[in-house]
Amino acid sequence: MLKLDSRDPGFQEAWARVCARGSDEDEAPVREAAATIVADVRARGDLALLEHTRRHDAWDPGSAAGLALGPADFAAAYRGLPAAARRALSLAARRIADFHRRETDARVPARRDAAGATLSQVVRPLERVGLYVPGGTARYPSSVLMTAVPARVAGVREIVVTSPGVKGSGEMDRWTLAACHVAGVARLFKVGGAQAVAALAYGTATVPAVDKICGPGNAYVAAAKRLVFGRVDIDMIAGPSEILVLADAAADPAEVASDLLAQAEHDVRAVSVLVTPSAALARAALAAVERQLADLPRREIAGRSIEERGAVVVTRGLSEAVRLADAFAPEHLALHARGAAGLVKRISRAGAVFVGSSTPEAVGDYLAGPSHVLPTAGTARFASPLSVATFRRRMSVLDLTPAALAALAPSVEALARAEGLEGHWRAVEVRVAKRASARARRVAPAKAKAAGASGAPRARAAAGGARR
Amino acid sequence: MLKLDSRDPGFQEAWARVCARGSDEDEAPVREAAATIVADVRARGDLALLEHTRRHDAWDPGSAAGLALGPADFAAAYRGLPAAARRALSLAARRIADFHRRETDARVPARRDAAGATLSQVVRPLERVGLYVPGGTARYPSSVLMTAVPARVAGVREIVVTSPGVKGSGEMDRWTLAACHVAGVARLFKVGGAQAVAALAYGTATVPAVDKICGPGNAYVAAAKRLVFGRVDIDMIAGPSEILVLADAAADPAEVASDLLAQAEHDVRAVSVLVTPSAALARAALAAVERQLADLPRREIAGRSIEERGAVVVTRGLSEAVRLADAFAPEHLALHARGAAGLVKRISRAGAVFVGSSTPEAVGDYLAGPSHVLPTAGTARFASPLSVATFRRRMSVLDLTPAALAALAPSVEALARAEGLEGHWRAVEVRVAKRASARARRVAPAKAKAAGASGAPRARAAAGGARR
């Protein structure tokens, strides 16, 4: 574990390396391998899926139908779970739905402006989305809930899940299937890796093409998502999970340690960082980490993560600690400090903020409400948590009166000519001229009556004269 | 120009090819060339920028300082424009700002639920964004306004622009600079192509690293944006511009034709599609296209675009026309039909909808208000117009009372154990146990007084007993 003090010479460089989180890994080999698989699935469809499943997951689906599970399978799995498990899944689904139902849309309500232009943005749900859920030896029913429930709340018509079966057998964890039941998933395909992403992006005879692919996966999944981005939308490129705990002298070392370890047990590449102005709290928290590690079932993974990727930073004061936390832009930011709620306004860059010592990150992982799919690796500088907005899109709607168009026409002419796009101006001109001509026709007969002449030639002249 | 009738045999296949818009082009060579440039700029910074500018843009900036322009340059360019030009730029900037200021945020307002959990999403502007503006022989002041103004409205602290100088001289178009003035751009770097994207993503001594890169560019720019996505955010992968005009028998053929040509004059790869239930309107519009092409300054580009990429589809009726338009998911959808406003609710997939014949797409390109940066190539299935939301992010905030944590703890336990993440449960348990223990200590003295015994051992037992 890296131990830093912000007063040390060389601190800025050392801290910059912590913030970089190993982002200099060469991605080219993984990218090329993923590109080969994506191209293969795109070209050969189900045949390629079956072949990659046999090769990478070491089981034989027989036919493409052997990859698919549906609502009857989900319901059976749900019924087969103990009552406490069913209650936990249902409670989590309900809380996630309750939270995401309160989300407002980013949009512009319709309004007619003074010129006569009625402008708005309207919001529409995506039609079909694909959710990647890690599988194999692990099982993540919570990942199903935290992606599918917001999608359902958003109004997505069809939600499909891909998740690799257990290596060697192709079995699918019953918790994951039960989560599909409570979340309203339409179908699950037992496919993983880059081949799953390719199938969702391009479609096969069995797997439908979707509009967006969400959910975390390994390096091949991430590389494949990047490759198909543009063909479909993706949520983000997920890196290893991470937490930054900001603690003051009054924090409970055991609670701080438990948050660091809950993160570290995910993955040897998980990142756990403690930032505190209190050297005493730092020491006590590290001692608690050692104590708690001793009987943690996943102590080998957590211990290696803490050892290789963990960091403790002692700062000059709480303000500096807050600044460092914001610069790190953590996926999870835990505030173990007096006045924690007041610190939130000083934070811009985090996936989710856990305020105060009664809000362990773990409760957010499962059922507090907000999706646990959050930006990692510093992408909280620009990315948002998965949410209802992830599954909806906006559309601009423009509706001008003839008068509005006429009023704006001279400036369109200036700008279109500046860009050398005469056809743009003419598309406006043809309308303005026609309406001016129609107006002239309406006005002219009255004048003509007085002058004893026909108004028609005058109207044509007006229309013709408008083209310079 | 492709002419289709939805009653023809083979229509579905032909229409699917129209919808695919040449998306089967092999991107690998462009991707590899862009990857080489990105890696070079990342490794060598300004030196690489200078070298690529000499090689690709055929002028010598001398030093990296020769690439940069700032507010004084922008103001001078603005002052140097004729009054009508200044008015047009200012009117456009004001209308774009007015529209985007009305945009609501996607967020969840804070609320404390029955369990005692206060959950919300808060919204923050991005810190620094980079806008790519095409340059070289063309000039697009409107692209500056349509990206920078929404960024400024969003609250972005620093907006930088990259745009290639004129080939051979490195000069920068004064309209583009003047647009930077009215839009509040901080700096402009005369760099284009993949090298500009790389500089914005990784930063050099001269070009600051940004959090997000927006704006359209050529194939190398698009490939580079895809490569750096994840390091920074990007808005979208832009393809050639496109319009789908949906017209009924009452539409004005000259107006329909002018909209098709305004699109086609952008680029030989631009796509202009007319969908109509009226064969007569289709014939008349095509004749008008021929007539209007004759004296269009960019008739060679527009003519080739119409010839090679254009399509006219005659449908069985208006409903089928609406369905086809929605399936095409056009960047621009122009509704030349009676009751156009009522058709909007049947459309889910378009970048922007132009309602009725007084709303030519060209007015949206320059100054109606909504950004003209819109999803192309069918990505309106999932992507939204550039907007204030493009430049803001959300952050989840969770704040539980001890009682809320205790109430949720049993379900966290069930789910954490299901996923084999005991450390997650223990992070909850350590807190619940501590609070139970504290409660016991508060309650025990009273009982102890009655019983004549100390409460402390009982409290410790309660805390210990909580770990199963």
Side-chain angles (χ1 to χ4, degrees):
Chain A
M1 186 172 228
L2 186 66
K3 293 176 184 111
L4 301 174
D5 189 303
S6 70
R7 275 153 294 208
D8 288 345
F11 169 73
Q12 288 306 333
E13 293 69 29
W15 175 245
R17 280 194 299 277
V18 173
C19 287
R21 295 125 151 132
S23 63
D24 277 324
E25 289 164 22
D26 180 17
E27 293 166 351
V30 172
R31 185 171 75 224
E32 292 317 310
T36 304
I37 294 173
V38 169
D40 189 28
V41 172
R42 189 177 175 185
R44 297 196 300 136
D46 282 345
L47 276 181
L49 282 191
L50 292 172
E51 196 174 302
H52 288 290
T53 299
R54 282 192 292 266
R55 188 184 310 162
H56 300 290
D57 299 343
W59 66 281
D60 189 349
S63 71
L67 294 169
L69 296 171
D73 305 295
F74 307 154
Y78 180 76
R79 283 194 305 270
L81 286 182
R86 293 199 302 264
R87 267 199 307 276
L89 285 173
S90 298
L91 175 69
R94 193 168 64 243
R95 292 190 59 85
I96 298 164
D98 284 348
F99 177 76
H100 288 281
R101 263 196 286 264
R102 294 200 287 122
E103 186 172 326
T104 56
D105 282 316
R107 69 182 194 95
V108 179
R111 203 184 69 186
R112 183 156 164 174
D113 66 20
T118 303
L119 307 170
S120 66
Q121 286 174 347
V122 297
V123 174
R124 301 282 189 259
L126 305 191
E127 178 92 353
R128 189 191 280 134
V129 302
L131 307 175
Y132 190 92
V133 175
T137 51
R139 54 186 182 193
Y140 293 112
S142 63
S143 289
V144 174
L145 299 182
M146 291 289 186
T147 51
V149 172
R152 203 192 50 201
V153 170
V156 172
R157 192 178 56 77
E158 187 178 7
I159 302 166
V160 303
V161 168
T162 62
S163 187
V166 171
K167 229 169 197 151
S169 74
E171 271 174 55
M172 183 52 58
D173 162 56
R174 62 188 183 142
W175 278 86
T176 303
L177 296 177
C180 289
H181 174 73
V182 300
V185 170
R187 280 179 288 174
L188 180 146
F189 300 97
K190 295 192 284 181
V191 187
Q195 56 272 27
V197 174
L200 292 171
Y202 292 101
T204 70
T206 303
V207 180
V210 302
D211 298 315
K212 185 161 189 170
I213 302 173
C214 297
N218 64 18
Y220 292 89
V221 171
K225 282 170 75 176
R226 187 192 300 276
L227 286 164
V228 301
F229 172 54
R231 170 80 188 197
V232 297
D233 200 12
I234 62 174
D235 55 344
M236 59 185 81
I237 305 289
S241 198
E242 59 193 29
I243 194 168
L244 188 146
V245 179
L246 190 154
D248 65 9
D252 182 321
E255 293 176 1
V256 168
S258 74
D259 281 358
L260 297 172
L261 286 173
Q263 208 59 45
E265 75 172 342
H266 271 290
D267 183 355
V268 294
R269 296 169 68 223
V271 176
S272 307
V273 178
L274 170 60
V275 178
T276 176
S278 164
L281 182 277
R283 275 192 306 275
L286 289 189
V289 163
E290 290 308 315
R291 273 198 308 276
Q292 293 180 19
L293 256 178
D295 71 338
L296 192 67
R298 290 168 72 92
R299 59 185 165 274
E300 289 198 17
I301 290 168
R304 231 185 103 191
S305 162
I306 293 280
E307 180 59 30
E308 295 175 7
R309 307 261 180 159
V312 179
V313 183
V314 177
T315 64
R316 289 182 186 85
L318 194 65
S319 288
E320 186 182 44
V322 170
R323 279 198 307 277
L324 292 179
D326 195 53
F328 187 82
E331 180 189 14
H332 305 106
L333 172 62
L335 301 178
H336 288 249
R338 277 161 303 201
L343 296 179
V344 174
K345 65 176 180 300
R346 291 155 68 184
I347 298 291
S348 290
R349 294 180 279 205
V353 185
F354 299 84
V355 179
S357 63
S358 290
T359 315
E361 185 271 335
V363 77
D365 273 355
Y366 291 115
L367 48 61
S371 177
H372 74 197
V373 178
L374 300 166
T376 58
T379 60
R381 286 182 294 119
F382 51 77
S384 298
L386 182 143
S387 197
V388 167
T390 306
F391 300 107
R392 288 182 179 161
R393 57 174 302 278
R394 281 168 286 121
M395 188 166 84
S396 296
V397 181
L398 298 82
D399 190 346
L400 271 62
T401 59
L405 183 61
L408 299 177
S411 289
V412 173
E413 181 178 10
L415 292 166
R417 293 232 163 106
E419 295 192 352
L421 297 173
E422 179 70 16
H424 280 57
W425 160 236
R426 290 190 182 170
V428 175
E429 185 192 29
V430 65
R431 290 151 158 104
V432 173
K434 179 183 172 187
R435 283 147 188 71
S437 155
R439 228 179 2 258
R441 270 196 301 274
R442 280 197 307 274
V443 173
K447 290 192 184 168
K449 206 176 278 178
S454 160
R458 182 196 296 253
R460 273 201 297 276
R467 171 155 312 170
R468 279 147 292 179
Chain B
M1 186 172 227
L2 187 67
K3 293 177 185 111
L4 300 175
D5 188 304
S6 70
R7 276 153 293 209
D8 289 345
F11 170 74
Q12 287 307 331
E13 293 68 30
W15 175 245
R17 280 193 299 276
V18 173
C19 288
R21 295 128 150 128
S23 65
D24 277 325
E25 289 164 23
D26 180 16
E27 293 165 352
V30 172
R31 185 170 76 224
E32 292 317 311
T36 303
I37 294 172
V38 169
D40 189 28
V41 172
R42 188 176 176 185
R44 298 196 300 136
D46 283 344
L47 277 181
L49 282 191
L50 292 171
E51 196 173 301
H52 288 289
T53 298
R54 282 193 293 266
R55 188 184 310 161
H56 300 289
D57 298 344
W59 66 283
D60 188 349
S63 71
L67 294 170
L69 296 170
D73 306 295
F74 307 154
Y78 180 76
R79 283 193 307 269
L81 286 181
R86 293 200 302 266
R87 267 198 309 275
L89 284 174
S90 298
L91 174 69
R94 192 168 64 243
R95 291 190 59 86
I96 298 164
D98 283 349
F99 177 76
H100 287 282
R101 264 197 285 265
R102 294 200 287 121
E103 185 173 325
T104 56
D105 283 316
R107 69 181 194 96
V108 179
R111 202 182 71 185
R112 184 156 163 172
D113 66 19
T118 304
L119 307 171
S120 67
Q121 286 174 345
V122 297
V123 173
R124 301 283 189 260
L126 304 191
E127 179 92 353
R128 189 192 280 133
V129 302
L131 307 175
Y132 190 93
V133 174
T137 52
R139 53 187 182 193
Y140 292 112
S142 63
S143 288
V144 174
L145 299 183
M146 291 289 185
T147 50
V149 172
R152 203 192 52 200
V153 170
V156 172
R157 192 177 57 75
E158 188 179 6
I159 302 167
V160 303
V161 167
T162 62
S163 188
V166 173
K167 230 168 195 152
S169 74
E171 271 173 56
M172 183 53 57
D173 162 55
R174 61 189 183 142
W175 278 87
T176 302
L177 296 177
C180 288
H181 174 72
V182 299
V185 171
R187 279 180 286 175
L188 179 146
F189 300 97
K190 295 193 283 181
V191 187
Q195 57 271 29
V197 173
L200 291 170
Y202 293 103
T204 70
T206 303
V207 181
V210 303
D211 298 316
K212 185 162 189 168
I213 302 173
C214 297
N218 64 17
Y220 292 90
V221 170
K225 281 170 75 176
R226 188 193 299 275
L227 285 165
V228 302
F229 173 55
R231 169 79 187 200
V232 297
D233 200 12
I234 63 173
D235 55 342
M236 60 185 80
I237 305 290
S241 198
E242 58 192 31
I243 194 168
L244 189 145
V245 179
L246 190 154
D248 65 11
D252 182 322
E255 293 177 0
V256 168
S258 74
D259 282 357
L260 296 172
L261 285 173
Q263 208 59 44
E265 74 171 345
H266 269 290
D267 182 355
V268 294
R269 295 169 68 222
V271 177
S272 306
V273 178
L274 170 60
V275 179
T276 176
S278 165
L281 182 278
R283 275 192 306 274
L286 288 188
V289 163
E290 290 308 316
R291 273 198 308 277
Q292 293 179 19
L293 254 178
D295 70 340
L296 191 67
R298 291 169 71 91
R299 59 184 164 275
E300 289 198 17
I301 290 168
R304 230 184 104 191
S305 162
I306 292 281
E307 180 59 31
E308 296 176 5
R309 307 263 180 158
V312 178
V313 183
V314 177
T315 63
R316 290 184 186 84
L318 193 66
S319 289
E320 186 183 43
V322 170
R323 279 199 305 278
L324 292 179
D326 196 54
F328 187 82
E331 180 190 14
H332 305 107
L333 173 62
L335 301 178
H336 288 248
R338 278 162 302 200
L343 296 180
V344 175
K345 64 176 182 299
R346 291 155 68 183
I347 298 292
S348 291
R349 293 180 279 202
V353 185
F354 299 83
V355 179
S357 63
S358 291
T359 315
E361 185 271 335
V363 78
D365 272 355
Y366 291 116
L367 47 62
S371 177
H372 74 197
V373 179
L374 300 167
T376 59
T379 59
R381 287 182 294 119
F382 51 76
S384 298
L386 183 142
S387 197
V388 167
T390 307
F391 300 106
R392 287 183 178 160
R393 57 174 301 279
R394 281 167 287 121
M395 188 167 83
S396 296
V397 181
L398 299 82
D399 189 347
L400 272 62
T401 59
L405 183 62
L408 299 177
S411 289
V412 173
E413 181 178 9
L415 292 166
R417 293 227 163 110
E419 295 191 352
L421 297 174
E422 179 71 17
H424 279 58
W425 160 236
R426 290 190 183 172
V428 175
E429 184 190 29
V430 65
R431 288 149 159 106
V432 173
K434 179 183 171 185
R435 284 149 186 70
S437 156
R439 226 176 10 255
R441 271 198 301 274
R442 279 196 309 274
V443 172
K447 291 194 184 168
K449 206 178 279 179
S454 158
R458 181 196 295 251
R460 274 198 297 276
R467 171 156 308 169
R468 277 148 291 177

